[in-house]
Amino acid sequence: GRPRRLLLPPTARFAMTRAQQRIGLAPTAEVLAALDALVEAHAGVTMPLCYRGEVHLWLGDLERARADFEASIQASRKTRWAYIGLGAVDLLEGHLARAEAVFKRLRLDAAPGPTLYVYRAETHRRAGRRDEARSDLDVALRQSPGRLGARVNHGLWHLAWGDLAEAHAAAAELAARAPDHFADVTGALGLPPAAPLTREALEAVFEASLQRMRGNRSSSIFTYFTAEGRLRRTPVRALDDPQNRHEVRLLRRQVRRALGLE
């Protein structure tokens, strides 16, 4: 009648997640060495390649990221994140048509994974596909309001199609959720801290933000590079998101049920 701790051996995915979550908190070489060891230890599993590839993507090492995603697909064509990652590499290399083709290879009869929408939205936006980009951005921000890559793309979308007020709102949201990052970007651009941003300044801030993020469009591990090329990791403020409150309520209910309290 009492809960007992269940001891289970760590899965490859759990071990890779723990290693990946150290990025920006431990020396990068140390994190990569841990990921390399796990990929070797779980040679028959495709997900470790995706986790390592995602870290390479965040670091802007597109060649190594592509190699990991392609190796994962070669081992199993059912690993959905490998396609998302490969499409993201094509996007960052400027091959928009190739990125769209990769995204179309995903099996969309199953859940495609939430990260798809931000990378695909950015691809559509850069290709000038207004409606497709907005649709994917709406999904990305509805699922994860704190996904800063989607937030920045949302601001650039509004700038591209003439809604300056909404672009200002996106910049204010970025500043509120990641003040360290925003201060780094605006400071490097020589923008006064409290001055209103012109359209040109907004665009410069958003584009510099994406450049600093490199391939990181994560909703939970936000990393970026300073103007000097140093990797930084900063927490993203939740700003009391309704989605967060909903998830906390669900978790609390599950715990109470497990303890027999309701």
Side-chain angles (χ1 to χ4, degrees), residues 94-161:
H95 305 303
L96 303 183
R98 228 161 60 187
E100 290 178 344
V102 172
F103 293 143
K104 287 178 181 177
R105 292 167 63 187
L106 278 165
R107 292 180 55 203
L108 296 181
D109 54 325
T115 318
L116 165 68
Y117 296 101
V118 62
Y119 288 116
R120 194 170 65 182
E122 188 169 334
T123 303
H124 288 319
R125 179 184 63 79
R126 291 185 183 277
R129 295 186 175 85
R130 172 179 176 170
D131 294 340
E132 293 93 330
R134 181 59 188 267
S135 176
D136 277 348
L137 283 172
D138 287 347
V139 174
L141 289 173
R142 184 168 62 249
Q143 290 180 338
S144 303
R147 193 184 295 279
L148 296 189
R151 188 70 57 187
V152 172
N153 270 286
H154 196 241
L156 285 167
W157 187 94
H158 284 293
L159 279 181
W161 282 282

Side-chain angles (χ1 to χ4, degrees), residues 220-231:
S220 58
I221 303 175
F222 179 62
T223 60
Y224 69 96
F225 285 81
T226 65
E228 297 77 25
R230 292 194 302 270
L231 177 67

Side-chain angles (χ1 to χ4, degrees), residues 56-61 92 122 126 148-149 152 156 174 178-191 204-217 221-234:
H56 286 314
L57 191 64
W58 295 349
L59 296 174
D61 191 340
L92 294 171
E122 188 169 334
R126 291 185 183 277
L148 296 189
V152 172
L156 285 167
L174 177 64
D180 293 344
H181 168 73
F182 192 81
D184 277 352
V185 171
T186 54
L189 291 172
L191 299 172
V205 168
F206 289 141
E207 291 290 0
S209 291
L210 285 183
Q211 186 178 18
R212 297 287 189 87
M213 294 176 196
R214 299 195 179 175
N216 188 313
R217 304 293 182 268
I221 303 175
F222 179 62
T223 60
Y224 69 96
F225 285 81
T226 65
E228 297 77 25
R230 292 194 302 270
L231 177 67
R232 291 199 64 188
R233 177 171 172 177
T234 185

